[in-house]
């Protein structure tokens, strides 16, 4: 399973030559791609018009999502090594 950052999706979606898409597909291989709701929001915000928004929304609706819980933020900080130690 792989969570792909918004910045990568932007490059993939804007690719006119197919080279970025090809490199992306080679990189992810057979891994399952998942999204977060923040990535969904950021991609939809970047739609240039209603038609692009609708197409993107249709695609994103059919994808897998990692859903946040009330502990997600705290766990992410711990994993990232940015934990705050109070004395």
């Amino acid at each position: 399973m792989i969570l792909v950052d918004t910045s990568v999706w932007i490059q993939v979606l804007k690719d006119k030559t197919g080279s970025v898409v090809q490199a992306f597909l080679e990189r992810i291989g057979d891994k399952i791609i998942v999204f977060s709701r923040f990535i969904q929001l950021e991609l939809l915000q970047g739609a240039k018009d209603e038609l692009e928004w609708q197409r993107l929304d249709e695609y994103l609706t059919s994808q897998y999502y990692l859903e946040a819980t009330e502990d997600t933020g705290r766990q992410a900080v711990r994993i990232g090594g940015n934990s705050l130690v109070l004395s």
Side-chain angles (χ1 to χ4, degrees):
M1 185 181 327
I2 184 169
L3 177 68
V4 179
D5 187 69
T6 305
S7 61
V8 174
W9 282 116
I10 290 169
Q11 290 178 23
V12 169
L13 294 170
K14 288 186 175 185
D15 181 27
K16 302 276 191 233
T17 66
S19 62
V20 174
V21 171
Q22 183 62 37
F24 174 75
L25 293 174
E26 289 172 8
R27 182 75 171 201
I28 61 168
D30 61 354
K31 295 178 185 79
I32 296 171
I33 298 171
V34 295
F35 288 80
S36 73
R37 294 299 173 181
F38 292 110
I39 293 171
Q40 178 188 34
L41 176 142
E42 290 172 335
L43 291 174
L44 288 171
Q45 279 182 325
K48 64 182 176 186
D49 57 33
E50 183 63 24
L51 180 59
E52 185 173 281
W53 195 95
Q54 288 176 2
R55 287 180 177 166
L56 190 54
D57 184 50
E58 184 177 325
Y59 171 75
L60 292 171
T61 299
S62 68
Q63 301 307 302
Y64 295 107
Y65 284 85
L66 292 176
E67 300 294 351
T69 67
E70 61 184 63
D71 284 340
T72 301
R74 289 193 304 259
Q75 292 173 1
V77 169
R78 294 282 187 202
I79 290 170
N82 295 323
S83 58
L84 175 64
V85 178
L86 300 175
S87 13

